[in-house]
Amino acid sequence: MSDAPLLALEDVSKRFVRRLDAAEKIVNLLGGNRREEVVHAVDSVSLGIREGEVVGLVGESGCGKSTLGRVVAGVHAPSAGKVLWRGRDVATMSGAERRDATLKIQMIFQDPMSSLNPRMRVRDIVGEAPRVHGLVSGEEVSDYVDAMLLRVGLDPAIKSRYPHQFSGGQRQRIGIARALAVRPDFLVCDESIAALDVSIQAQVLNLFMDLREDLGLTYLFISHDLGVVEHLADRVVIMYLGRVVESAPAAELFADPNHPYARALLDEVPRIDTRKRIFQPVKGEIPSPLTPPTGCHFHPRCPHAKPRCSAEAPALREIAPGRLSACHMNDG
Amino acid sequence: MIRETVLEVSDLKTHFFTKAGVAKAVDGVSFSLGRGEVLGLVGESGSGKTVTGFSLMGLVDPPGRIVSGSIRLGGEELVGRPEEAWRTLRGRRIAMIFQDPMMTLNPVLRIDTQMIEAIRAHEDISREAARERAREALARVGIPSPDERLAAYPHQFSGGMRQRVAIAIALLNEPEVIVADEPTTALDVTIQAQILYEVQKLCADTGLAMIWITHDLAVVGGLADRVAVMYAGRIVEQGPVDAVLDAPFHPYTHGLIGSVPSHNRRGHRLTQIPGMAPSLLHLPPGCSFAARCPRADAACNEMPALTELSPGRGARCHHPHLAETATGGAA
């Protein structure tokens, strides 16, 4: 594990804008005041992921974790900021270089049914990309697909079937085989096990851990399930409304969360070893990302909020070696 | 603690008669529920937990039907009732909360219209009185400014708030039993905790009995008094939550608990149950878990009975994990 990050995000933002439609433009011409709606899905996030590291990205729905995953995987271009792959800005790479870089970053989605083409046989789903990219020749494809399927624990004899002929867990394995087929260095797993049953989740999690060991893969593991992240990740990054609120080595974070939101989130994870507990939830809901609260986004729900919190957004600062948190309380 | 029994289910069988054969979705399920008690009904997809819930509500549609068994609510037999009799019962004495609250809510009607209708369907009271009761129900599940919210449409609520409205509707006629089918699965953790908090308070304060159907053992651990684990249409183990989760008897429960990631074994391989659940159309004659079970042998070709292994606890297994082996961890 070297110290230079394999992948780094520098002040990456992603905004989604809903443009005005014709009627609204006419209203504006007539003296109305309709504005474009802007969602800051990801708001100046900086993050470095070292080779071989598993980073867990946690947050509730609407916090921007999936958007961030898509920016990392190259599905969305960032609205601002830079994505660096092995120290080089992806945006300034030449076409061929960029293709190589993006091929090394593969994504595994939540719903294996909607991410596999229902009209393609498994051998084409897995074999198409490596053939197109010239990783294997036409004659080798068949053996290569067999090897990939074995790698993820599927019987190669099933490769002429279609996705609908498989169970959820098997489909997810096909999705993983497809990602592995282009020999990636980095996997972005976006809620990849959320749709599976508990016993199947364990099987797929074990597969991810085996792959990491055997192939030296680096992961960005996006999940709302803190138990899973705790088990798998070396470092955990917690997002709230587009911003990173805390980032820390997994063991330290789970032992002693710093940010009030991280603490609230950890307190509320149902655990199998806590029984008949009294639930003491944080108040309120996640505000709309269209109109986020001023200052610290968490202040309306925070039990420790002070006047400063609604006026000024706290910076993400180092509070201990390797630990970052964005909270005014750390200023004493 | 001895509780007055509100619901008694014995040997319930709900089968689906499809072209491909008979799917025994619920096959001989028995349990009882006391006042103020929360029973966690746990299982994976296809285990029959939802069909059990639907059977209790008389909501099984053809090709499915309740083949045999009995459901007694406050001593009264429900199986075999005509549809009209079910209708006077449903919503008044036994109510259901679904995973997706939009299944309960009509998107084109205001909340107050829907709630008043639900009350007046069972009781002859004025609209004003019904509205007042609807307001109280919303307040009870923790919806802020219930007066204004009554006039809103379902799409104006967030997911968590919609689920609260669905719970408020279930509470309107003060039923004895609520069947909750994965009501917090689609919600975020902080919102889930809020809902669990309200539910916990309700059961303690009002003596409402609840069947909480879920795949999430951790939620059951935090909420329920007793737990019943279902596999392939049958209850394979049931008992008090602490006892079952700390020292499960059945190898399936044992495997399920082992496969929950927990910080004790951080970074190590999880115990995994090999294979997957069998098709309900082609169940093996013996124990349906045998094919995936590390303890299976020839005896398992015969269906084990649900036997009481310790007071109040039973398991359906020929080779249960008894006290001395129950603490065995990762495989």
Side-chain angles (χ1 to χ4, degrees):
Chain A
M1 205 184 281
S2 71
D3 260 6
L6 178 68
L7 180 119
L9 303 178
E10 285 180 4
D11 279 323
V12 164
S13 295
K14 178 69 193 173
R15 292 182 289 270
F16 293 100
V17 182
R18 193 184 72 88
R19 305 258 169 234
L20 295 180
D21 61 24
E24 284 166 327
K25 283 181 183 156
I26 293 169
V27 169
N28 276 353
L29 286 176
L30 298 172
N33 188 22
R34 296 292 167 89
R35 297 223 182 91
E36 289 179 338
E37 292 182 332
V38 182
V39 174
H40 291 263
V42 175
D43 193 3
S44 329
V45 168
S46 299
L47 181 68
I49 301 175
R50 290 191 305 272
E51 194 147 11
E53 197 178 23
V54 177
V55 173
L57 183 58
V58 184
E60 298 182 274
S61 35
C63 74
K65 59 188 191 301
S66 288
T67 307
L68 190 68
R70 281 159 193 252
V71 169
V72 168
V75 178
H76 292 316
S79 310
K82 281 192 257 181
V83 180
L84 305 178
W85 174 251
R86 295 191 186 278
R88 300 191 49 210
D89 187 352
V90 175
T92 61
M93 286 181 182
S94 71
E97 275 180 317
R98 189 189 304 186
R99 196 175 56 230
D100 288 344
T102 44
L103 211 55
K104 289 292 179 196
I105 310 174
Q106 287 296 313
M107 190 149 179
I108 294 162
F109 299 89
Q110 170 167 5
D111 180 1
M113 199 60 216
S114 55
S115 55
L116 300 178
N117 187 337
R119 289 159 192 261
M120 278 168 83
R121 293 178 194 276
V122 170
R123 62 161 176 264
D124 300 319
I125 291 174
V126 177
E128 186 181 42
R131 205 180 56 237
V132 168
H133 288 288
L135 297 176
V136 286
S137 65
E139 308 90 80
E140 292 163 356
V141 167
S142 181
D143 289 343
Y144 188 70
V145 169
D146 289 0
M148 285 302 136
L149 292 176
L150 279 173
R151 173 76 267 181
V152 298
L154 291 170
D155 180 0
I158 49 90
K159 65 181 175 176
S160 38
R161 293 200 205 156
Y162 290 96
H164 74 264
Q165 294 171 294
F166 294 92
S167 69
Q170 289 174 318
R171 273 182 218 143
Q172 198 55 280
R173 286 175 195 265
I174 297 170
I176 298 169
R178 175 178 63 179
L180 292 179
V182 293
R183 296 179 192 148
D185 294 334
F186 190 106
L187 288 183
V188 178
C189 304
D190 187 4
E191 298 276 10
S192 302
I193 60 160
L196 306 174
D197 271 323
V198 192
S199 67
I200 310 296
Q201 273 192 7
Q203 295 176 357
V204 175
L205 271 181
N206 282 340
L207 173 63
F208 279 134
M209 286 191 279
D210 292 346
L211 292 175
R212 177 196 191 186
E213 207 154 285
D214 300 349
L215 307 175
L217 293 173
T218 307
Y219 288 94
L220 178 63
F221 199 89
I222 302 171
S223 178
H224 69 280
D225 188 336
L226 282 158
V228 169
V229 168
E230 182 178 12
H231 191 81
L232 203 68
D234 300 316
R235 195 149 56 90
V236 178
V237 175
I238 297 181
M239 281 182 83
Y240 187 75
L241 270 186
R243 293 180 188 160
V244 172
V245 295
E246 182 157 2
S247 161
E252 291 175 36
L253 180 89
F254 283 93
D256 177 28
N258 175 274
H259 196 278
Y261 177 64
R263 225 174 291 160
L265 206 59
L266 255 60
D267 280 348
E268 273 151 33
V269 182
R271 288 179 184 281
I272 198 155
D273 31 334
T274 46
R275 303 296 150 63
K276 280 310 263 184
R277 52 178 285 232
I278 311 298
F279 292 95
Q280 283 174 324
V282 262
K283 291 177 308 230
E285 302 195 353
I286 304 175
S288 159
L290 277 172
T291 49
T294 54
C296 172
H297 285 341
F298 188 59
H299 84 263
R301 302 175 74 190
C302 182
H304 312 288
K306 298 195 177 65
R308 185 184 174 195
C309 300
S310 57
E312 189 190 330
L316 189 66
R317 292 191 305 112
E318 189 157 54
I319 52 163
R323 294 196 63 172
L324 302 167
S325 174
C327 181
H328 287 312
M329 289 206 306
N330 293 322
D331 300 347
Chain B
M1 190 173 6
I2 293 167
R3 290 180 159 113
E4 181 195 338
T5 304
V6 261
L7 184 77
E8 179 95 54
V9 176
S10 55
D11 204 26
L12 181 71
K13 292 188 178 175
T14 305
H15 295 176
F16 287 78
F17 298 86
T18 64
K19 271 186 195 152
V22 181
K24 298 177 178 172
V26 176
D27 201 24
V29 163
S30 308
F31 60 85
S32 68
L33 188 67
R35 244 178 83 78
E37 190 177 39
V38 181
L39 171 73
L41 192 57
V42 184
E44 299 184 273
S45 21
S47 62
K49 56 191 195 302
T50 297
V51 177
T52 305
F54 275 50
S55 304
L56 296 178
M57 296 292 295
L59 288 174
V60 180
D61 288 327
R65 65 183 163 85
I66 298 180
V67 187
S68 65
S70 111
I71 303 170
R72 297 176 83 82
L73 179 65
E76 201 181 325
E77 178 59 56
L78 305 188
V79 172
R81 288 184 149 220
E83 176 56 27
E84 298 85 78
W86 270 111
R87 205 174 295 165
T88 60
L89 205 85
R90 228 183 264 140
R92 189 167 60 89
R93 297 187 56 197
I94 181 164
M96 189 155 184
I97 307 167
F98 299 90
Q99 175 171 357
D100 178 4
M102 287 312 272
M103 269 178 86
T104 315
L105 300 172
N106 184 330
V108 298
L109 292 180
R110 292 193 338 204
I111 298 296
D112 56 353
T113 319
Q114 304 189 36
M115 293 182 85
I116 292 169
E117 193 175 77
I119 298 172
R120 300 206 337 147
H122 293 290
E123 226 176 306
D124 188 19
I125 62 171
S126 71
R127 295 192 69 84
E128 289 67 40
R131 196 185 153 87
E132 180 52 31
R133 208 199 286 173
R135 204 194 64 82
E136 277 166 22
L138 288 187
R140 202 164 358 142
V141 294
I143 292 186
S145 48
D147 279 308
E148 294 153 41
R149 299 309 259 166
L150 268 178
Y153 288 91
H155 73 264
Q156 294 170 302
F157 289 83
S158 65
M161 282 296 162
R162 259 181 229 153
Q163 196 56 277
R164 282 167 200 256
V165 173
I167 295 173
I169 291 180
L171 289 172
L172 279 178
N173 296 297
E174 294 173 353
E176 291 140 68
V177 179
I178 288 188
V179 181
D181 187 6
E182 305 250 11
T184 59
T185 307
L187 303 177
D188 284 316
V189 228
T190 57
I191 309 300
Q192 167 168 290
Q194 292 171 359
I195 301 265
L196 294 178
Y197 165 76
E198 304 291 353
V199 165
Q200 210 172 35
K201 220 167 48 158
L202 275 171
C203 290
D205 296 352
T206 63
L208 172 74
M210 182 103 117
I211 296 176
W212 194 272
I213 300 174
T214 182
H215 66 276
D216 192 338
L217 282 166
V219 168
V220 164
L223 183 73
D225 301 294
R226 281 192 309 128
V227 60
V229 181
M230 285 192 77
Y231 188 78
R234 297 189 185 95
I235 291 180
V236 293
E237 172 155 15
Q238 65 175 319
V241 160
D242 287 331
V244 172
L245 296 189
D246 288 337
F249 285 145
H250 199 282
Y252 175 63
T253 322
H254 199 263
L256 266 191
I257 293 171
S259 57
V260 173
S262 134
H263 49 159
N264 304 330
R265 299 191 301 276
R266 217 181 86 73
H268 290 89
R269 286 179 65 87
L270 299 162
T271 317
Q272 64 180 46
I273 305 176
M276 47 188 177
S279 156
L280 292 172
L281 289 170
H282 311 287
L283 286 180
C287 171
S288 17
F289 187 62
R292 302 172 75 187
C293 183
R295 299 187 150 215
D297 61 16
C300 301
N301 290 328
E302 201 173 306
M303 171 61 71
L306 191 63
T307 36
E308 192 163 28
L309 295 167
S310 71
R313 281 191 67 186
R316 196 184 272 280
C317 184
H318 291 300
H319 310 290
H321 289 258
L322 295 171
E324 68 281 6
T325 55
T327 46

